[in-house]
Structures are given as structure tokens and as C-alpha cells.
Amino acid sequence: MYVYRERCENARITEPKARAIIENYCSKIQAQDASAKLLNSLMILKLLIASGDDMPYDASSAEEFQKMYRSWGVIYSRSLGSHDSIMWNLMHMDKLIWEVLKEEGIE
């Protein structure tokens, strides 16, 4: 969360909805027992933070939110590897992100 706080302080994450999604997701991870699933959740948190204000927080559904990571460049990357497609794939295996999106009004 250090990177998240730093990005907020530097005005790189300013959108209240993006902040709410990240903070809600982080609190759910902290309540989770340590397991192999926790690694996926931590990677999703990292990618949500990397998405910042560019995340599709205005998506009309959770499925559209996920699709946006496959359809266009949400997370800036200089390399040929796409963090967007990693996020898209990880979302298939993580129930917490779907819970958070529902709680944040993205159903």
C-alpha cells in the first residue's frame, strides 16, 4: 500500500471511485487467510494500483470492467508483455474482486 499512498500523494490516483475499489479490495485481502489464493489477490491489488485513475471504474457491469482490461491499454507498460491481460486472467480466479465491484456499484 506504500505505492498506493505515494501515487495518491503525487496526484496520480485522484478518482474517488478508483480509490474506493483499491481500498475496499485491500481490506478484503487483509481479512483473508494466507493461502495460494492470496498471491493472486496481491497481484490483482498491485495491478489495480498500477491502473489508478485509468481503471474502468465507470463500467456498467463487472463483466465490462474485466473486458476493458482485455480490450484496451489500461495499465501503461513499455514492454511487449501486457499487464492488462494478466489482470484479465487473474480476475477469473479471484472472487474478492467481483465482491468488491458489486459493493462499489459495478454489478
Side-chain angles (χ1 to χ4, degrees), residues 16 52 60 71:
S60 59
S71 301

Side-chain angles (χ1 to χ4, degrees), residues 85-98:
S85 64
I86 294 169
M87 177 66 160
W88 183 81
N89 281 302
L90 287 174
M91 284 184 70
H92 285 291
M93 299 179 278
D94 187 76
K95 70 176 186 168
L96 290 181
I97 187 65
W98 300 97

